Amino acid sequence: MTYQPKSDFLRIIIERGFLADCTDLQGLDERLLQGPVTCYIGYDATAQSLHVGHLLNVMLLRWWQKTGNRPITLMGGGTTKVGDPSFRSDERPLLGPEQIDANIAGMQKVFDRYLDYDTAGKTPAAQMMNNAEWLDGLNYLDFLRDIGRHFSVNRMLSFESVKSRLDREQSLSFLEFNYMILQAYDFLELNRRHGCLLQMGGSDQWGNIVNGIDLTRRVLETEIFGLTTPLLTTSDGRKMGKSQGGAVWLNADMLSPYEFWQFWRNTTDADVGRFLKLYTELPVAECDRLGALQGSEINEGKIILAREVTTLLHGADAAAAAEATAREVFEKGGTGDDLPTLTLSAGDIGDGISIVQLITRSGLAGSGKEAKRLISEGGARLNDAGLSDAGLMVTAADLAEPIKLSAGKKRHALVVLAD
């Protein structure tokens, strides 16, 4: 990078590793130096909670506001009815209005933890908006005439998100093809209504962001910007935000603070420094120091990472409770009340349920094959005792008291029988 930004926001995010691409880095920097700027990131309401994969861009919005600018969280109440086809192999299931509204309410709980929506605050207040406000009432013929004429199908087909789908000879419906036009229109409307000058998002959204910039320039003759963050993978190649038990949700009613804390505590050694810069507000020098620790000392960095990230999302008390539970489980051999728990009924068990099923259903393994491998390699334990028989059957009588399953030294779950 030859140009060295002077604005607080760009200097911070570049130093911490947030920047993948920007349509005009110098132009955006110069505009930021003139005073507060409004930006947005869009979120389709496809689930009742955001997950860890969203957290990078939530932190980006937090830094945006902390450096004196106004963030907009744009909820896709309209676009969720269509579904983003980007880098998907199939069409998203269509959701009804009631489910979309419920999902938006669930997602707002996370934004409330990271952003300040208080108009009396020290920084420009964050705003949550819903693109259904302008998309639901569109007249189709007027929209085609006024907006559709600015889009080249040839160019839309060249975007990697579409091209990869077609190259695999997988269907792309006309409904989904409209998605990128609607998202581009969001940027136009936010600029027209609220003076929004920047859209940010993951690098998989680059094509959609550029579409919005081109459309706004053509219709309003306004100079606006786009900025993307890298698509994160862990050092061992896994997509960030996925665990062996599935998505790492951010709402406490979908994933306990303890499980969230434990996800970060299990970070691979090589990722500690990088994740501290991205997901906490610790000074960069401290992140580098912790990330450079070797051997067992790197565990200090992992515990601090888990503590800081959990504190931001769930609060200091929840983070301290999770850390105390982990210490009880790992150092004292206890069971811990906040461990992830699989609750079974007598009907679930019948005459017996296999230990492989229990390991899989408790989230300690992603499949039966993985559970069997865990057992055969000596990585599984039952009530802290080595487990070597993949054919073991567990009965209701065995569950008169909760049992503790372990995968390696760090991951544990309880199995209990419902009353």
Side-chain angles (χ1 to χ4, degrees):
M1 183 184 301
T2 54
Y3 180 73
Q4 298 299 318
K6 303 174 183 64
S7 61
D8 288 344
F9 174 74
L10 288 176
R11 284 192 299 101
I12 287 169
I13 69 161
I14 289 170
E15 185 178 29
R16 300 186 82 94
F18 282 92
L19 182 63
D21 287 297
C22 183
T23 53
D24 180 1
L25 190 67
Q26 184 169 346
L28 176 60
D29 189 47
E30 290 170 353
R31 177 60 187 82
L32 284 166
L33 291 170
Q34 294 172 22
V37 176
T38 299
C39 89
Y40 87 99
I41 295 180
Y43 298 86
D44 277 344
T46 53
Q48 292 182 13
S49 170
L50 298 172
H51 57 71
V52 163
H54 293 111
L55 195 51
L56 184 75
N57 284 331
V58 175
M59 286 297 296
L60 190 67
L61 285 174
R62 184 175 171 87
W63 282 115
W64 179 258
Q65 187 173 35
K66 283 171 71 75
T67 52
N69 299 289
R70 180 167 69 128
I72 293 174
T73 49
L74 181 66
M75 309 311 295
T79 43
T80 302
K81 296 170 185 173
V82 176
D84 185 359
S86 298
F87 298 98
R88 287 182 62 87
S89 60
D90 55 2
E91 189 171 339
R92 288 184 185 275
L94 299 181
L95 303 178
E98 295 82 6
Q99 185 60 60
I100 290 172
D101 289 345
N103 289 351
I104 290 173
M107 293 163 73
Q108 182 162 8
K109 296 175 185 176
V110 173
F111 293 120
D112 286 345
R113 297 291 313 184
Y114 286 86
L115 301 175
D116 182 6
Y117 290 88
D118 182 3
T119 54
K122 296 178 182 177
T123 56
Q127 285 186 279
M128 176 173 282
M129 296 178 186
N130 188 332
N131 62 15
E133 182 183 334
W134 51 82
L135 294 181
D136 279 3
L138 283 178
N139 179 294
Y140 188 58
L141 291 179
D142 289 345
F143 185 71
L144 285 179
R145 184 192 64 204
D146 297 337
I147 302 301
R149 65 190 178 89
H150 294 293
F151 288 84
S152 160
V153 171
N154 306 57
R155 185 159 181 265
M156 292 163 77
L157 288 170
S158 72
F159 287 125
E160 187 60 34
S161 57
V162 174
K163 193 167 174 288
S164 62
R165 183 94 159 256
L166 298 178
D167 286 347
R168 295 193 298 269
E169 298 184 356
Q170 290 164 330
S171 172
L172 180 71
S173 72
F174 181 70
L175 181 71
E176 294 175 288
F177 201 57
N178 273 268
Y179 181 91
M180 61 182 76
I181 301 179
L182 296 176
Q183 184 170 327
Y185 186 67
D186 284 344
F187 203 170
L188 171 67
E189 280 296 320
L190 286 172
N191 180 262
R192 179 187 277 153
R193 294 167 182 237
H194 302 285
C196 183
L197 296 181
L198 173 66
Q199 182 184 358
M200 303 192 294
S203 58
D204 60 334
Q205 294 298 314
W206 180 256
N208 290 331
I209 291 172
V210 169
N211 271 337
I213 292 172
D214 289 346
L215 177 64
T216 306
R217 283 174 178 166
R218 288 170 186 264
V219 176
L220 301 180
E221 298 181 351
T222 302
E223 185 67 22
I224 56 178
F225 307 92
L227 184 150
T228 59
T229 54
L231 288 181
L232 279 194
T233 57
T234 57
S235 59
D236 54 7
R238 287 180 293 112
K239 186 177 179 181
M240 182 61 187
K242 297 290 185 181
S243 75
Q244 290 176 316
V248 180
W249 300 108
L250 302 186
N251 284 9
D253 57 350
M254 293 179 69
L255 188 83
S256 73
Y258 171 79
E259 291 172 282
F260 183 76
W261 187 96
Q262 193 60 47
F263 170 80
W264 295 98
R265 173 63 180 82
N266 290 337
T267 295
T268 306
D269 293 3
D271 291 324
V272 171
R274 182 168 59 125
F275 287 177
L276 281 163
K277 290 178 194 174
L278 294 172
Y279 296 107
T280 81
E281 295 173 343
L282 292 177
V284 170
E286 178 66 358
C287 297
D288 287 336
R289 182 190 74 80
L290 292 168
L293 295 174
Q294 299 293 316
S296 61
E297 290 185 350
I298 192 69
N299 290 330
E300 177 194 352
K302 295 180 183 182
I303 290 170
I304 290 173
L305 171 66
R307 181 191 305 150
E308 293 290 324
V309 182
T310 306
T311 297
L312 279 173
L313 178 61
H314 294 299
D317 290 346
E323 192 169 335
T325 299
R327 194 174 300 113
E328 177 191 344
V329 171
F330 304 145
E331 295 177 9
K332 300 177 184 176
T335 56
D337 295 332
D338 293 331
L339 279 181
T341 301
L342 172 65
T343 303
L344 299 174
S345 67
D348 291 328
I349 298 169
D351 294 332
I353 185 170
S354 74
I355 194 68
V356 168
Q357 266 192 285
L358 291 183
I359 291 172
T360 305
R361 290 180 60 178
S362 65
L364 296 178
S367 65
K369 184 177 179 181
E370 187 181 319
K372 289 176 182 176
R373 186 173 67 247
L374 183 71
I375 294 169
S376 68
E377 293 175 352
R381 295 196 309 285
L382 174 62
N383 290 332
D384 293 323
L387 182 59
S388 57
D389 180 9
L392 178 68
M393 300 297 290
V394 176
T395 66
D398 295 325
L399 285 166
E401 296 290 334
I403 64 172
K404 176 183 166 189
L405 296 174
S406 303
K409 295 180 179 179
K410 298 179 180 179
R411 300 176 56 243
H412 309 267
L414 294 180
V415 181
V416 300
L417 183 61
D419 293 335

